Amino acid sequence: MVAAQGAMVAAAMNSIYQSSGKAGLALGGVGLAAIGAVGALGSLGTVGLSEVKKVETATNILKANGAPNIEAFQGQLEDLKESLGGVGDSFTKGDFGLATADIVKAGVESADALTLMTSSTKLAAAEQINLTEASGLLLKNLRQYDYEVGDAARVGDMLAMAGNAAAGTAYDLSVGLGIVGGTGKQAKLEMYDLLGMLVELDNKGMSAADVGANGLRAALSALSDITKKGQVTLGDLTIAMVDAEGKARPAGDILKDLGEKMRGMGVYVNKTTGELDGNGEAMQTVSSLMDNRAAAAVINLTGDWEKWSQQIKDSGGYLDEYANTMQEGVEPALKA
């Protein structure tokens, strides 16, 4: 059985060698050493075959998307993995190949894909999550704010700092940003302010990856398209949507004012049920502006987010520190 597994790995590797050249073989991360290990330790047969499949799939994706000079690109990818040290060792060469091919498939140039992978690998290693998923989320976060791939390190720093400040993780913040990012940008909120809001909601029991992000998105959407009835309600609450010069007030300021008014009316989030509670008149006032999940987010935004957003804004270089700290004592992935 073990010998058969070794033969299968060797055959698969030969297939990749024939179709992708020596660089394809190198990217697989299995090589003759891994094939020999299969003979000595049968459990590596499955791992080796999985690696071969990853490499083959990544190579096919790159070819299908017209990536130029695949052999040279694969060499650059291997250099990147090595340059990341212990963080790079968290993933196999097959993991790197699949994640990068997925980024190229999403329309990113090969060279830019390597830039993004530098930051997404650090996030994935620190959070111990799938590298392809982490890379895709980071790309989505960048695109929501019309950022360039060159901004990946900056966004990675902000996500790492936000994850450190929140009850949840940087992964949760990236998922949440994926939910509310587009709406936040339309509301002219800076990314660090939006992340600060998600941190505050997460710390108050509204998960940044789910309830908090969806509630915040609903609140921002409601405020961007106020009904006539809602406009009357805001007037009654003395909340201005524009400043003295007739310019739209920052969304963060409006949310802060509205939350203060709601809490002053005795509207609150029941911590047991998670539902909105309060007297009938106050609840009617709230419902004229937005639904309950949106109101729950607004009520929980008491202004703490401003402190977190400043820390997130000043987070330059934090991702490196975060990734290296989280990697201490972690076993490396299969290496060639």
Side-chain angles (χ1 to χ4, degrees), residues 48-108:
L49 287 171
S50 174
E51 268 295 283
V52 170
K53 186 174 181 180
K54 289 177 184 177
V55 175
E56 201 165 35
T57 300
T59 302
N60 290 339
I61 292 173
L62 288 170
K63 286 181 178 179
N65 286 275
N69 201 344
I70 292 178
E71 289 189 15
F73 179 62
Q74 289 171 336
Q76 292 171 344
L77 189 60
E78 189 170 350
D79 290 341
L80 171 62
K81 181 183 184 307
E82 185 176 347
S83 72
L84 290 171
V87 170
D89 286 343
S90 301
F91 304 99
T92 67
K93 293 175 183 176
D95 293 331
F96 265 79
L98 273 182
T100 310
D102 214 51
I103 295 301
V104 171
K105 182 181 177 182
V108 177

Side-chain angles (χ1 to χ4, degrees), residues 143-165:
R143 285 178 166 174
Q144 285 177 310
Y145 266 77
D146 294 330
Y147 287 170
E148 300 293 333
V149 172
D151 296 313
R154 177 77 188 98
V155 174
D157 288 334
M158 291 194 287
L159 288 170
M161 181 60 76
N164 186 57

Side-chain angles (χ1 to χ4, degrees), residues 180 183-184 187 189 197 201 206 211-226 241 251 254-255 258 262 289-299 301:
V180 70
T183 309
L189 282 170
M197 291 177 182
L201 292 175
M206 297 185 71
V211 180
N214 283 303
L216 182 54
R217 180 176 64 178
L220 291 172
S221 294
L223 290 175
S224 70
D225 188 23
I226 297 288
M241 294 294 288
I254 296 173
L255 286 174
L258 184 56
M262 287 182 179
L289 294 170
M290 57 188 62
D291 62 26
N292 283 2
R293 62 176 178 167
V298 172
I299 289 170
L301 290 174

